[in-house]
Amino acid sequence: MSSSNSKKRRRVLSGVQPSGNLTIGNYIGALSQWAREQHNYESFFCVVDLHAITMPHDPALLGAKTREVAALYLACGIDPDVSTVFVQSHVPAHSELTWLLNCITPIGWLYRMTQFKDKAAKQQQESIGMGLLDYPVLMAADILLYQADAVPVGEDQRQHLEITRDIAQRFNHLFGDTFTIPEALIPPSGARVKALDNPTAKMSKSETSSEYHAVYLLDPPDRVKKKVMRAVTDSGHEIRFSGDPERAGVNNLLELYESLTGESREAIESFFESKGYGSLKKAVVEVLNETLAPIQQRYNDLTSDSSYIDSLLARGTARAAEVANSTLELARNRMGYLKPFS
Ligand code: TYM
């Protein structure tokens, strides 16, 4: 029997890596969805600091970034009285289940992951860490430990969700029904926000090649304006949603506007009819700053008392560990491990 049969509320789990600065893409693809969905599910949101060391990282920044991301979860609307917020490495069951799952995951599945191929291509062959290849197994452990039914993420995580399902099915097939098979919850609009300086690429918090690449959640209004006004468009003038790669810049601005206002495409196109790209950019700056102002205000309030976030994380860890440890024990039993002696 899968433990999903015995629980009442459906569960979600999701996470963000504490690497780089969180972007408006993270907000639209992930955090805003989490805040909306938290009342419909029993929700677990972790800061995935173990994933953050799969690419070279700075030890002097990791702890501060971890706290910053946790504070941004709350600033974006995650209610710690409704959802469990915690740090992945504070619940050791994540690492232990990863090992168990490693041993049943064919290595060929991991070599096929596009994110592994992209990230490995940015490094010298000899310095690619084993953790980068193993990244999806750790992510599967994150999700399966909480018997999550749904995982709210952006489009770039779809393949990781598929491999999580494959790993869970393989485990269940080999050792008996243990894990809930999770589904990806990908928003209909804004699931892949593009870079402002290159609208054919994903906006990414770890991209540092240009200061005009991304809008960060903690950017002040004048910086948001500067970035959006310089966003790459094209030499045309029509303001319409389109899948044409030549018009990807305008389409990206329109999708940003759509995701942040919730207006229909029809209404948006008719609003911008006979207006120029300059007006579109100004309107996007306005909705971005209207979205970011309350988030930044809450972030500043939350971080004015440095112990507040830490005490919430301690509470979240206790609740997360309770659920994770019970699933880990089930997985260990299914695999035939001898129980520890008391
Ligand atoms: P990460 O940290 O790269 O991104 C966090 C979340 O933001 C979404 N996202 C975007 N959505 C729309 N447009 C964009 N440009 C954009 N950029 C990022 C991502 O899809 C993600 O939902 N592997 C994950 C972290 C992770 C995780 C998990 C997620 C580890 N364990 C378990 C869910 C469940 C990642 O690197 O996300």
Side-chain angles (χ1 to χ4, degrees):
M1 186 203 69
S2 146
S3 63
S4 64
N5 297 337
S6 56
K7 67 184 193 238
K8 286 180 251 39
R9 282 175 78 198
R10 280 164 58 81
R11 288 217 181 111
V12 304
L13 174 125
S14 201
V16 174
Q17 291 187 67
S19 52
N21 296 316
L22 264 60
T23 71
I24 194 68
N26 297 127
Y27 177 76
I28 295 173
L31 296 170
S32 64
Q33 275 208 88
W34 303 359
R36 261 196 318 276
E37 296 293 343
Q38 65 184 332
H39 302 285
N40 302 327
Y41 292 87
E42 184 185 0
S43 303
F44 293 84
F45 299 118
C46 58
V47 183
V48 291
D49 57 345
L50 295 171
H51 280 103
I53 64 164
T54 56
M55 291 291 276
H57 82 288
D58 182 351
L61 293 181
L62 184 60
K65 279 284 163 198
T66 301
R67 278 203 184 96
E68 179 182 305
V69 172
L72 278 169
Y73 284 4
L74 305 188
C76 288
I78 304 303
D79 179 345
D81 291 329
V82 171
S83 303
T84 299
V85 177
F86 66 103
V87 176
Q88 182 191 37
S89 71
H90 294 174
V91 181
H94 290 246
S95 306
E96 189 173 342
L97 183 63
T98 301
W99 180 253
L100 303 187
L101 299 179
N102 271 339
C103 298
I104 60 134
T105 303
I107 201 164
W109 293 3
L110 300 173
Y111 279 120
R112 279 200 293 274
M113 293 286 110
T114 52
Q115 206 160 80
F116 170 71
K117 290 191 224 165
D118 292 349
K119 289 190 174 173
K122 291 185 184 154
Q123 292 184 72
Q124 302 276 353
Q125 185 71 24
E126 319 76 73
S127 56
I128 299 166
M130 181 65 206
L132 190 62
L133 183 63
D134 205 27
Y135 182 113
V137 183
L138 175 59
M139 179 159 163
D142 297 341
I143 296 166
L144 301 180
L145 275 175
Y146 298 87
Q147 304 287 12
D149 301 278
V151 183
V153 283
E155 178 63 44
D156 62 328
Q157 298 301 314
R158 191 185 285 281
Q159 200 183 29
H160 287 154
L161 257 294
E162 277 160 16
I163 195 175
T164 299
R165 291 166 60 89
D166 291 343
I167 293 170
Q169 268 153 356
R170 190 172 169 91
F171 190 103
N172 288 352
H173 173 73
L174 289 171
F175 304 114
D177 202 4
T178 305
F179 296 121
T180 300
I181 310 298
E183 275 169 41
L185 273 188
I186 297 179
S189 174
R192 194 178 187 84
V193 175
K194 309 292 195 306
L196 295 177
D197 63 341
N198 174 8
T200 57
K202 184 188 81 165
M203 182 184 281
S204 160
K205 63 174 137 54
S206 48
E207 180 59 65
T208 51
S209 58
S210 151
E211 60 173 307
Y212 297 102
H213 173 87
V215 169
Y216 300 125
L217 297 186
L218 297 177
D219 271 347
D222 56 333
R223 203 171 304 149
V224 171
K225 183 170 178 192
K226 209 158 125 192
K227 289 176 174 178
V228 174
M229 295 316 281
R230 288 197 41 162
V232 170
T233 51
D234 55 68
S235 56
H237 57 272
E238 225 191 10
I239 302 184
R240 304 193 79 78
F241 287 90
S242 121
D244 179 353
E246 299 291 317
R247 316 210 52 227
V250 168
N251 192 65
N252 191 37
L253 293 172
L254 282 169
E255 285 195 10
L256 276 170
Y257 189 87
E258 178 190 24
S259 310
L260 297 174
T261 60
E263 286 173 22
S264 73
R265 292 192 166 197
E266 242 179 5
I268 295 170
E269 286 181 347
S270 95
F271 178 74
F272 286 111
E273 203 175 345
S274 73
K275 295 196 172 89
Y277 288 174
S279 313
L280 171 63
K281 287 181 168 177
K282 277 193 196 128
V284 171
V285 170
E286 216 166 279
V287 292
L288 276 168
N289 283 334
E290 274 167 17
T291 304
L292 297 182
I295 293 174
Q296 294 175 2
Q297 178 66 51
R298 280 196 296 269
Y299 178 83
N300 292 336
D301 292 347
L302 286 162
T303 51
S304 63
D305 169 5
S306 63
S307 63
Y308 178 67
I309 295 293
D310 296 3
S311 66
L312 281 180
L313 290 174
R315 200 173 86 192
T317 299
R319 168 69 189 138
E322 208 179 290
V323 177
N325 290 341
S326 110
T327 309
L328 178 63
E329 197 188 338
L330 179 66
R332 288 174 52 104
N333 291 343
R334 291 274 201 263
M335 291 182 100
Y337 275 98
L338 193 60
K339 287 196 172 120
F341 302 108
S342 52

